[in-house]
């Protein structure tokens, strides 16, 4: 059993800051769960292009609002509290927060390995036989 709190990891090496976003890494590859779990905040009025190859990602919006642009189709989807989106092989996308920060729960498979290092092997541990 793994028990952690967001508060206990905030302002530690598990709390990653970058231009336009920050993320608290609650589970990483070293936790041996086959996926990683993060609480990520997209800063107000930030627009970010994101793409990590070979990942499945599921994101649930907790608070704030914005939009996601699917780079492959050009289609834009609104994001608001209660919205979930999933990316197959982590499709290239742009994520934009509106006038307030957008807080999201994110699951990656394969798991993120650390600060902003992704396991790009293409193997999905939670689905491996």
């Amino acid at each position: 059993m793994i028990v952690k709190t967001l508060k206990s990891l905030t302002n530690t090496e598990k709390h990653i800051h970058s231009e336009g976003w920050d993320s608290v890494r609650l589970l990483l590859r070293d936790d041996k769960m086959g996926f990683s779990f993060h609480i990520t905040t997209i800063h107000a009025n930030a627009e970010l292009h994101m793409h990590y190859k070979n990942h499945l990602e599921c994101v649930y919006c907790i608070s704030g609002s914005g939009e996601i642009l699917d780079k492959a189709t050009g289609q834009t989807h609104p994001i608001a509290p209660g919205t979930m989106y999933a990316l197959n092989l982590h499709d290239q996308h742009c994520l934009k927060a509106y006038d307030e920060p957008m807080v999201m729960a994110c699951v990656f498979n394969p798991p993120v390995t650390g600060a902003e290092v992704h396991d790009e092997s293409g193997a999905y541990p939670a689905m491996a036989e």
Side-chain angles (χ1 to χ4, degrees):
M1 179 182 292
I2 298 172
V3 178
K4 299 180 181 182
T5 67
L6 186 64
K7 184 177 180 180
S8 71
L9 297 175
T10 301
N11 297 320
T12 70
E13 74 282 353
K14 305 276 182 163
H15 189 179
I16 309 306
H17 303 274
S18 186
E19 179 115 8
W21 60 269
D22 66 86
S23 184
V24 177
R25 310 315 172 87
L26 288 135
L27 288 175
L28 290 167
R29 183 177 64 189
D30 290 346
D31 292 304
K32 301 190 185 326
M33 294 297 296
F35 60 90
S36 59
F37 178 70
H38 319 186
I39 300 298
T40 299
T41 301
I42 308 299
H43 301 167
N45 301 307
E47 188 168 339
L48 309 169
H49 174 259
M50 297 185 174
H51 182 239
Y52 308 109
K53 66 180 183 174
N54 300 324
H55 283 272
L56 302 175
E57 182 181 4
C58 184
V59 177
Y60 179 80
C61 182
I62 298 168
S63 64
S65 60
E67 61 188 43
I68 185 169
L69 167 67
D70 181 338
K71 298 283 279 186
T73 67
Q75 190 172 13
T76 299
H77 305 276
I79 304 293
T83 303
M84 183 279 305
Y85 66 86
L87 301 170
N88 181 16
L89 303 179
H90 205 290
D91 305 317
Q92 289 193 45
H93 64 286
C94 288
L95 191 58
K96 181 179 182 179
Y98 293 151
D99 294 334
E100 60 184 310
M102 192 164 46
V103 179
M104 306 156 93
C106 308
V107 176
F108 282 91
N109 181 9
V112 172
T113 60
E116 188 53 19
V117 179
H118 295 255
D119 182 350
E120 300 292 5
S121 68
Y124 301 104
M127 297 179 212
E129 294 182 32

